[in-house]
Amino acid sequence: MAFTLPPLPYAYDALEPHYDAQTVEIHHTKHHQTYTDKLNDAVVAAGVQDKAVEDILADLDSIAESKRGAVRNHGGGYWNHTFFWESMAPNPNGEAKGPSGALADAIKQKFGSVDQFKEGFSAKAAAHFGSGWAWLVVNGSGELEITDTHDQVCPLSLGHKPLLTIDVWEHAYYLKFKNVRPNWISTWWNIVNWKEVENRFGK
Ligand code: MN
């Protein structure tokens, strides 16, 4: 079964005014589509086209070295973007929101407060050199951790359970935010889908 581009869980303009419709549409129909198409080529070349993408990414070492880079890049590009879209939800009024329940408790225990967590996550995302992603994960020791990955490396390949991510490739924000990545990051907090992050944490 070939991989197909997952539809967005909302309309292209649904994240306005925080994330503009033009960027979201290009990001989904061009960038994410291209990763999807190239993943299909890469898994056939590597002989893993019958496996789930999560299983492929969690076991990259089993893929022949000459085929591994393409699977890492396009498999990560495919999965990371799907996870990114599901990490956001419409919030036109931009009222302050945050985590609740067990996730909020765990964040406070690990980072001191939700605000301190957001500061640390934003700093990691802003300081990331070049293209990549910032993540909140449950690491291999079962602890919350703020981390970043380069290019399309997926945390599933590093033994992490991802909870939240922001795309800091320039294609994710350049049309509206130009070179000012910190403005993209601070605006993005308005559209974080905390309910989904809580669901992921509960699993
Ligand atoms: Mn992207």
Side-chain angles (χ1 to χ4, degrees):
M1 257 287 268
F3 295 105
T4 55
L5 179 67
L8 290 192
Y10 35 72
Y12 287 123
D13 63 357
L15 302 178
E16 294 270 10
H18 314 293
Y19 201 10
D20 63 290
Q22 187 184 16
T23 301
V24 172
E25 183 165 1
I26 293 170
H27 201 171
H28 183 247
T29 62
K30 304 297 182 191
H31 294 274
H32 199 179
Q33 181 71 61
T34 300
Y35 287 117
T36 305
D37 295 342
K38 291 189 174 180
L39 173 62
N40 283 315
D41 295 340
V43 293
V44 169
V48 292
Q49 65 272 25
D50 295 327
K51 295 174 73 176
V53 67
E54 291 82 3
D55 295 336
I56 293 170
L57 289 167
D59 192 21
L60 287 175
D61 287 347
S62 69
I63 293 172
E65 202 176 342
S66 63
K67 315 289 185 192
R68 195 181 303 152
V71 174
R72 178 193 294 116
N73 291 341
H74 304 301
Y78 176 80
W79 191 92
N80 294 346
H81 281 97
T82 303
F83 190 85
F84 170 65
W85 299 126
E86 293 171 352
S87 294
M88 297 180 289
N91 180 18
N93 298 321
E95 69 269 23
K97 289 198 294 190
S100 59
L103 176 64
D105 293 343
I107 285 175
K108 286 171 193 162
Q109 188 174 20
K110 179 71 186 182
F111 303 105
S113 68
V114 172
D115 282 346
Q116 283 175 287
F117 157 68
K118 288 169 73 171
E119 281 172 29
F121 186 100
S122 295
K124 180 70 85 176
H128 179 85
F129 184 76
S131 299
W133 304 76
W135 304 85
L136 174 67
V137 301
V138 178
N139 65 23
S141 305
E143 302 232 334
L144 290 182
E145 182 182 330
I146 296 166
T147 189
D148 56 345
T149 63
H150 284 281
D151 299 326
Q152 294 297 354
V153 171
C154 179
L156 296 173
S157 304
L158 307 172
H160 298 316
K161 295 185 70 158
L163 299 179
L164 176 65
T165 195
I166 183 171
D167 189 340
V168 294
W169 283 61
E170 283 189 344
H171 70 234
Y173 61 85
Y174 205 88
L175 282 179
K176 182 168 175 188
F177 297 95
K178 302 298 184 283
N179 59 310
V180 191
R181 188 192 289 175
N183 288 352
W184 155 234
I185 299 164
S186 61
T187 301
W188 170 82
W189 286 112
N190 287 305
I191 44 174
V192 169
N193 185 350
W194 286 108
K195 275 280 161 275
E196 177 62 17
V197 182
E198 289 167 18
N199 289 340
R200 292 163 175 169
F201 182 69
K203 283 179 187 161

